[in-house]
Amino acid sequence: EAQVTQNPRYLITVTGKKLTVTCSQNMNHEYMSWYRQDPGLGLRQIYYSMNVEVTDKGDVPEGYKVSRKEKRNFPLILESPSPNQTSLYFCASRRADRQLFFGEGSRLTVL
Amino acid sequence: AQSVTQLGSHVSVSEGALVLLRCNYSSSVPPYLFWYVQYPNQGLQLLLKYTSAATLVKGINGFEAEFKKSETSFHLTKPSAHMSDAAEYFCAVSRAGGTSYGKLTFGQGTILTVHP
């Protein structure tokens, strides 16, 4: 089954404790991206990766890092999480016709 | 630059009534337009997309949308609402063609409630 898998689905952490949200896709898509979803703001892009050689900032990259060492994986790293990063995070991969395939989301709470 | 505005953060309809969710976009170049649906505790799923072919686009679950360039709109409709249509709906715009990587810009979302 074609899918994008994120882990963990739910996480509660404390300010400053580094965490990583993993994302993996099995559709051989070149393009992957991370979004955060906040009430009333829709989805905002954090980072995107055109392929394993190209990664760039989206609209709200502050406080986040990403890595794209292989095509299928695109982890999101919060080096020092802060409460304003409490949000619902989605990983997505994109087909050639620009259709995005989303993971089920990771709900992060930073205390 | 591109942007999307969804009119109405909440829409409530009765089961069997017409569903109309409004979306207006701004784009300096011809756009690709999308509607995504998000059911509770799930990721987003594509409902339909416009990519410069027919202006009336049919999607899944009986939804359709019409691209109106003169009004810069891409409203989503369904003739008869079902309880299972209750979800949050997102309109999104992407640049067509060119050298852009095709960044997708989302609207703020509209929560659809369906009453029995």
PDB file of all heavy atoms in Angstrom, chain A residues 73-99:
ATOM      1  N   ASN A  73      13.303   8.726   3.240  1.00  0.00           N
ATOM      2  CA  ASN A  73      13.189   9.263   4.601  1.00  0.00           C
ATOM      3  C   ASN A  73      13.449  10.766   4.664  1.00  0.00           C
ATOM      4  O   ASN A  73      14.359  11.274   3.987  1.00  0.00           O
ATOM      5  CB  ASN A  73      14.162   8.548   5.533  1.00  0.00           C
ATOM      6  CG  ASN A  73      13.825   7.078   5.687  1.00  0.00           C
ATOM      7  OD1 ASN A  73      12.662   6.694   5.702  1.00  0.00           O
ATOM      8  ND2 ASN A  73      14.856   6.235   5.784  1.00  0.00           N
ATOM      9  N   PHE A  74      12.707  11.438   5.505  1.00  0.00           N
ATOM     10  CA  PHE A  74      12.842  12.899   5.635  1.00  0.00           C
ATOM     11  C   PHE A  74      12.485  13.291   7.070  1.00  0.00           C
ATOM     12  O   PHE A  74      11.412  13.812   7.344  1.00  0.00           O
ATOM     13  CB  PHE A  74      11.922  13.587   4.629  1.00  0.00           C
ATOM     14  CG  PHE A  74      12.163  15.067   4.473  1.00  0.00           C
ATOM     15  CD1 PHE A  74      13.439  15.578   4.336  1.00  0.00           C
ATOM     16  CD2 PHE A  74      11.090  15.954   4.409  1.00  0.00           C
ATOM     17  CE1 PHE A  74      13.654  16.935   4.161  1.00  0.00           C
ATOM     18  CE2 PHE A  74      11.287  17.324   4.233  1.00  0.00           C
ATOM     19  CZ  PHE A  74      12.573  17.807   4.107  1.00  0.00           C
ATOM     20  N   PRO A  75      13.378  13.057   8.013  1.00  0.00           N
ATOM     21  CA  PRO A  75      13.071  13.369   9.408  1.00  0.00           C
ATOM     22  C   PRO A  75      13.070  14.862   9.710  1.00  0.00           C
ATOM     23  O   PRO A  75      13.833  15.628   9.113  1.00  0.00           O
ATOM     24  CB  PRO A  75      14.192  12.654  10.174  1.00  0.00           C
ATOM     25  CG  PRO A  75      15.327  12.580   9.190  1.00  0.00           C
ATOM     26  CD  PRO A  75      14.691  12.417   7.846  1.00  0.00           C
ATOM     27  N   LEU A  76      12.230  15.236  10.655  1.00  0.00           N
ATOM     28  CA  LEU A  76      12.150  16.611  11.143  1.00  0.00           C
ATOM     29  C   LEU A  76      12.769  16.645  12.535  1.00  0.00           C
ATOM     30  O   LEU A  76      12.379  15.863  13.401  1.00  0.00           O
ATOM     31  CB  LEU A  76      10.693  17.070  11.203  1.00  0.00           C
ATOM     32  CG  LEU A  76      10.438  18.489  11.721  1.00  0.00           C
ATOM     33  CD1 LEU A  76      10.947  19.521  10.714  1.00  0.00           C
ATOM     34  CD2 LEU A  76       8.953  18.688  11.998  1.00  0.00           C
ATOM     35  N   ILE A  77      13.693  17.561  12.741  1.00  0.00           N
ATOM     36  CA  ILE A  77      14.452  17.624  13.982  1.00  0.00           C
ATOM     37  C   ILE A  77      14.163  18.947  14.686  1.00  0.00           C
ATOM     38  O   ILE A  77      14.266  20.015  14.071  1.00  0.00           O
ATOM     39  CB  ILE A  77      15.964  17.502  13.697  1.00  0.00           C
ATOM     40  CG1 ILE A  77      16.242  16.198  12.946  1.00  0.00           C
ATOM     41  CG2 ILE A  77      16.763  17.565  15.004  1.00  0.00           C
ATOM     42  CD1 ILE A  77      17.537  16.205  12.187  1.00  0.00           C
ATOM     43  N   LEU A  78      13.803  18.851  15.960  1.00  0.00           N
ATOM     44  CA  LEU A  78      13.665  20.035  16.804  1.00  0.00           C
ATOM     45  C   LEU A  78      14.794  19.976  17.818  1.00  0.00           C
ATOM     46  O   LEU A  78      14.761  19.192  18.753  1.00  0.00           O
ATOM     47  CB  LEU A  78      12.307  20.048  17.496  1.00  0.00           C
ATOM     48  CG  LEU A  78      11.089  20.416  16.621  1.00  0.00           C
ATOM     49  CD1 LEU A  78      10.725  19.281  15.669  1.00  0.00           C
ATOM     50  CD2 LEU A  78       9.904  20.799  17.492  1.00  0.00           C
ATOM     51  N   GLU A  79      15.815  20.788  17.601  1.00  0.00           N
ATOM     52  CA  GLU A  79      17.022  20.739  18.439  1.00  0.00           C
ATOM     53  C   GLU A  79      16.727  21.189  19.882  1.00  0.00           C
ATOM     54  O   GLU A  79      17.219  20.592  20.835  1.00  0.00           O
ATOM     55  CB  GLU A  79      18.114  21.633  17.847  1.00  0.00           C
ATOM     56  CG  GLU A  79      18.672  21.158  16.520  1.00  0.00           C
ATOM     57  CD  GLU A  79      19.819  20.163  16.694  1.00  0.00           C
ATOM     58  OE1 GLU A  79      20.136  19.794  17.845  1.00  0.00           O
ATOM     59  OE2 GLU A  79      20.393  19.758  15.661  1.00  0.00           O
ATOM     60  N   SER A  80      15.945  22.237  20.015  1.00  0.00           N
ATOM     61  CA  SER A  80      15.607  22.764  21.341  1.00  0.00           C
ATOM     62  C   SER A  80      14.156  23.242  21.306  1.00  0.00           C
ATOM     63  O   SER A  80      13.881  24.435  21.140  1.00  0.00           O
ATOM     64  CB  SER A  80      16.560  23.910  21.710  1.00  0.00           C
ATOM     65  OG  SER A  80      16.266  24.388  23.008  1.00  0.00           O
ATOM     66  N   PRO A  81      13.230  22.316  21.454  1.00  0.00           N
ATOM     67  CA  PRO A  81      11.814  22.663  21.295  1.00  0.00           C
ATOM     68  C   PRO A  81      11.362  23.741  22.283  1.00  0.00           C
ATOM     69  O   PRO A  81      11.824  23.784  23.436  1.00  0.00           O
ATOM     70  CB  PRO A  81      11.086  21.345  21.562  1.00  0.00           C
ATOM     71  CG  PRO A  81      12.108  20.286  21.330  1.00  0.00           C
ATOM     72  CD  PRO A  81      13.422  20.892  21.735  1.00  0.00           C
ATOM     73  N   SER A  82      10.437  24.562  21.807  1.00  0.00           N
ATOM     74  CA  SER A  82       9.842  25.585  22.659  1.00  0.00           C
ATOM     75  C   SER A  82       8.322  25.454  22.581  1.00  0.00           C
ATOM     76  O   SER A  82       7.793  24.848  21.635  1.00  0.00           O
ATOM     77  CB  SER A  82      10.268  26.981  22.210  1.00  0.00           C
ATOM     78  OG  SER A  82       9.836  27.209  20.884  1.00  0.00           O
ATOM     79  N   PRO A  83       7.602  26.016  23.559  1.00  0.00           N
ATOM     80  CA  PRO A  83       6.139  25.866  23.578  1.00  0.00           C
ATOM     81  C   PRO A  83       5.453  26.337  22.295  1.00  0.00           C
ATOM     82  O   PRO A  83       4.397  25.800  21.927  1.00  0.00           O
ATOM     83  CB  PRO A  83       5.723  26.701  24.783  1.00  0.00           C
ATOM     84  CG  PRO A  83       6.897  26.599  25.713  1.00  0.00           C
ATOM     85  CD  PRO A  83       8.101  26.629  24.811  1.00  0.00           C
ATOM     86  N   ASN A  84       6.029  27.313  21.596  1.00  0.00           N
ATOM     87  CA  ASN A  84       5.379  27.787  20.361  1.00  0.00           C
ATOM     88  C   ASN A  84       5.507  26.790  19.208  1.00  0.00           C
ATOM     89  O   ASN A  84       4.985  27.030  18.108  1.00  0.00           O
ATOM     90  CB  ASN A  84       5.878  29.169  19.943  1.00  0.00           C
ATOM     91  CG  ASN A  84       7.348  29.184  19.581  1.00  0.00           C
ATOM     92  OD1 ASN A  84       7.975  28.143  19.425  1.00  0.00           O
ATOM     93  ND2 ASN A  84       7.897  30.377  19.427  1.00  0.00           N
ATOM     94  N   GLN A  85       6.200  25.692  19.455  1.00  0.00           N
ATOM     95  CA  GLN A  85       6.270  24.623  18.454  1.00  0.00           C
ATOM     96  C   GLN A  85       5.242  23.519  18.741  1.00  0.00           C
ATOM     97  O   GLN A  85       5.211  22.508  18.034  1.00  0.00           O
ATOM     98  CB  GLN A  85       7.683  24.039  18.378  1.00  0.00           C
ATOM     99  CG  GLN A  85       8.684  25.050  17.826  1.00  0.00           C
ATOM    100  CD  GLN A  85      10.096  24.508  17.789  1.00  0.00           C
ATOM    101  OE1 GLN A  85      10.676  24.197  18.836  1.00  0.00           O
ATOM    102  NE2 GLN A  85      10.635  24.382  16.592  1.00  0.00           N
ATOM    103  N   THR A  86       4.425  23.735  19.746  1.00  0.00           N
ATOM    104  CA  THR A  86       3.291  22.842  19.976  1.00  0.00           C
ATOM    105  C   THR A  86       2.361  22.961  18.784  1.00  0.00           C
ATOM    106  O   THR A  86       1.871  24.048  18.466  1.00  0.00           O
ATOM    107  CB  THR A  86       2.553  23.231  21.269  1.00  0.00           C
ATOM    108  OG1 THR A  86       3.399  22.956  22.381  1.00  0.00           O
ATOM    109  CG2 THR A  86       1.250  22.444  21.407  1.00  0.00           C
ATOM    110  N   SER A  87       2.136  21.845  18.114  1.00  0.00           N
ATOM    111  CA  SER A  87       1.380  21.895  16.864  1.00  0.00           C
ATOM    112  C   SER A  87       1.124  20.484  16.362  1.00  0.00           C
ATOM    113  O   SER A  87       1.572  19.495  16.950  1.00  0.00           O
ATOM    114  CB  SER A  87       2.169  22.695  15.808  1.00  0.00           C
ATOM    115  OG  SER A  87       1.401  22.897  14.633  1.00  0.00           O
ATOM    116  N   LEU A  88       0.404  20.423  15.259  1.00  0.00           N
ATOM    117  CA  LEU A  88       0.182  19.172  14.538  1.00  0.00           C
ATOM    118  C   LEU A  88       1.045  19.207  13.282  1.00  0.00           C
ATOM    119  O   LEU A  88       0.939  20.133  12.487  1.00  0.00           O
ATOM    120  CB  LEU A  88      -1.295  19.027  14.175  1.00  0.00           C
ATOM    121  CG  LEU A  88      -1.724  17.793  13.389  1.00  0.00           C
ATOM    122  CD1 LEU A  88      -1.369  16.511  14.139  1.00  0.00           C
ATOM    123  CD2 LEU A  88      -3.229  17.855  13.120  1.00  0.00           C
ATOM    124  N   TYR A  89       1.892  18.213  13.142  1.00  0.00           N
ATOM    125  CA  TYR A  89       2.867  18.203  12.060  1.00  0.00           C
ATOM    126  C   TYR A  89       2.512  17.127  11.031  1.00  0.00           C
ATOM    127  O   TYR A  89       2.159  15.996  11.390  1.00  0.00           O
ATOM    128  CB  TYR A  89       4.273  17.934  12.613  1.00  0.00           C
ATOM    129  CG  TYR A  89       4.788  19.069  13.436  1.00  0.00           C
ATOM    130  CD1 TYR A  89       4.522  19.139  14.806  1.00  0.00           C
ATOM    131  CD2 TYR A  89       5.544  20.087  12.851  1.00  0.00           C
ATOM    132  CE1 TYR A  89       4.986  20.201  15.564  1.00  0.00           C
ATOM    133  CE2 TYR A  89       6.014  21.148  13.607  1.00  0.00           C
ATOM    134  CZ  TYR A  89       5.735  21.197  14.958  1.00  0.00           C
ATOM    135  OH  TYR A  89       6.195  22.255  15.708  1.00  0.00           O
ATOM    136  N   PHE A  90       2.658  17.501   9.758  1.00  0.00           N
ATOM    137  CA  PHE A  90       2.408  16.557   8.676  1.00  0.00           C
ATOM    138  C   PHE A  90       3.607  16.488   7.746  1.00  0.00           C
ATOM    139  O   PHE A  90       4.156  17.512   7.332  1.00  0.00           O
ATOM    140  CB  PHE A  90       1.188  16.976   7.846  1.00  0.00           C
ATOM    141  CG  PHE A  90      -0.113  16.762   8.540  1.00  0.00           C
ATOM    142  CD1 PHE A  90      -0.754  17.810   9.169  1.00  0.00           C
ATOM    143  CD2 PHE A  90      -0.684  15.505   8.576  1.00  0.00           C
ATOM    144  CE1 PHE A  90      -1.964  17.619   9.818  1.00  0.00           C
ATOM    145  CE2 PHE A  90      -1.891  15.291   9.224  1.00  0.00           C
ATOM    146  CZ  PHE A  90      -2.529  16.351   9.847  1.00  0.00           C
ATOM    147  N   CYS A  91       3.966  15.267   7.423  1.00  0.00           N
ATOM    148  CA  CYS A  91       4.933  15.012   6.377  1.00  0.00           C
ATOM    149  C   CYS A  91       4.164  14.676   5.106  1.00  0.00           C
ATOM    150  O   CYS A  91       3.080  14.071   5.167  1.00  0.00           O
ATOM    151  CB  CYS A  91       5.841  13.852   6.783  1.00  0.00           C
ATOM    152  SG  CYS A  91       7.082  13.406   5.562  1.00  0.00           S
ATOM    153  N   ALA A  92       4.699  15.053   3.975  1.00  0.00           N
ATOM    154  CA  ALA A  92       4.045  14.742   2.709  1.00  0.00           C
ATOM    155  C   ALA A  92       5.091  14.440   1.653  1.00  0.00           C
ATOM    156  O   ALA A  92       6.198  14.976   1.674  1.00  0.00           O
ATOM    157  CB  ALA A  92       3.158  15.904   2.254  1.00  0.00           C
ATOM    158  N   SER A  93       4.730  13.578   0.715  1.00  0.00           N
ATOM    159  CA  SER A  93       5.552  13.385  -0.477  1.00  0.00           C
ATOM    160  C   SER A  93       4.705  13.745  -1.684  1.00  0.00           C
ATOM    161  O   SER A  93       3.465  13.736  -1.611  1.00  0.00           O
ATOM    162  CB  SER A  93       6.070  11.946  -0.580  1.00  0.00           C
ATOM    163  OG  SER A  93       5.008  11.036  -0.807  1.00  0.00           O
ATOM    164  N   ARG A  94       5.357  14.067  -2.769  1.00  0.00           N
ATOM    165  CA  ARG A  94       4.630  14.603  -3.909  1.00  0.00           C
ATOM    166  C   ARG A  94       4.886  13.801  -5.174  1.00  0.00           C
ATOM    167  O   ARG A  94       6.030  13.503  -5.521  1.00  0.00           O
ATOM    168  CB  ARG A  94       5.020  16.062  -4.144  1.00  0.00           C
ATOM    169  CG  ARG A  94       4.089  16.814  -5.085  1.00  0.00           C
ATOM    170  CD  ARG A  94       4.548  18.236  -5.284  1.00  0.00           C
ATOM    171  NE  ARG A  94       5.736  18.293  -6.137  1.00  0.00           N
ATOM    172  CZ  ARG A  94       6.359  19.421  -6.451  1.00  0.00           C
ATOM    173  NH1 ARG A  94       5.920  20.560  -5.975  1.00  0.00           N
ATOM    174  NH2 ARG A  94       7.416  19.394  -7.230  1.00  0.00           N
ATOM    175  N   ARG A  95       3.804  13.510  -5.871  1.00  0.00           N
ATOM    176  CA  ARG A  95       3.878  12.821  -7.142  1.00  0.00           C
ATOM    177  C   ARG A  95       4.228  13.811  -8.238  1.00  0.00           C
ATOM    178  O   ARG A  95       4.134  15.027  -8.030  1.00  0.00           O
ATOM    179  CB  ARG A  95       2.511  12.151  -7.402  1.00  0.00           C
ATOM    180  CG  ARG A  95       2.531  11.000  -8.357  1.00  0.00           C
ATOM    181  CD  ARG A  95       1.246  10.201  -8.271  1.00  0.00           C
ATOM    182  NE  ARG A  95       0.075  10.988  -8.603  1.00  0.00           N
ATOM    183  CZ  ARG A  95      -1.166  10.511  -8.505  1.00  0.00           C
ATOM    184  NH1 ARG A  95      -1.370   9.284  -8.054  1.00  0.00           N
ATOM    185  NH2 ARG A  95      -2.197  11.262  -8.818  1.00  0.00           N
ATOM    186  N   ALA A  96       4.555  13.326  -9.417  1.00  0.00           N
ATOM    187  CA  ALA A  96       4.962  14.194 -10.517  1.00  0.00           C
ATOM    188  C   ALA A  96       3.872  15.189 -10.912  1.00  0.00           C
ATOM    189  O   ALA A  96       4.165  16.304 -11.352  1.00  0.00           O
ATOM    190  CB  ALA A  96       5.380  13.363 -11.722  1.00  0.00           C
ATOM    191  N   ASP A  97       2.587  14.822 -10.743  1.00  0.00           N
ATOM    192  CA  ASP A  97       1.495  15.736 -11.105  1.00  0.00           C
ATOM    193  C   ASP A  97       1.155  16.703  -9.969  1.00  0.00           C
ATOM    194  O   ASP A  97       0.105  17.340  -9.983  1.00  0.00           O
ATOM    195  CB  ASP A  97       0.248  14.948 -11.500  1.00  0.00           C
ATOM    196  CG  ASP A  97      -0.319  14.129 -10.360  1.00  0.00           C
ATOM    197  OD1 ASP A  97       0.318  14.090  -9.276  1.00  0.00           O
ATOM    198  OD2 ASP A  97      -1.381  13.511 -10.535  1.00  0.00           O
ATOM    199  N   ARG A  98       2.045  16.783  -8.978  1.00  0.00           N
ATOM    200  CA  ARG A  98       1.956  17.715  -7.839  1.00  0.00           C
ATOM    201  C   ARG A  98       0.933  17.306  -6.797  1.00  0.00           C
ATOM    202  O   ARG A  98       0.692  18.071  -5.863  1.00  0.00           O
ATOM    203  CB  ARG A  98       1.703  19.152  -8.302  1.00  0.00           C
ATOM    204  CG  ARG A  98       2.804  19.657  -9.176  1.00  0.00           C
ATOM    205  CD  ARG A  98       2.792  21.128  -9.350  1.00  0.00           C
ATOM    206  NE  ARG A  98       3.814  21.536 -10.323  1.00  0.00           N
ATOM    207  CZ  ARG A  98       3.920  22.728 -10.826  1.00  0.00           C
ATOM    208  NH1 ARG A  98       3.077  23.661 -10.469  1.00  0.00           N
ATOM    209  NH2 ARG A  98       4.858  23.012 -11.702  1.00  0.00           N
ATOM    210  N   GLN A  99       0.352  16.150  -6.912  1.00  0.00           N
ATOM    211  CA  GLN A  99      -0.523  15.685  -5.841  1.00  0.00           C
ATOM    212  C   GLN A  99       0.316  15.295  -4.634  1.00  0.00           C
ATOM    213  O   GLN A  99       1.291  14.556  -4.754  1.00  0.00           O
ATOM    214  CB  GLN A  99      -1.359  14.490  -6.277  1.00  0.00           C
ATOM    215  CG  GLN A  99      -2.273  13.979  -5.168  1.00  0.00           C
ATOM    216  CD  GLN A  99      -3.154  12.828  -5.599  1.00  0.00           C
ATOM    217  OE1 GLN A  99      -3.365  12.611  -6.789  1.00  0.00           O
ATOM    218  NE2 GLN A  99      -3.664  12.086  -4.634  1.00  0.00           N
TER     219      GLN A  99
END
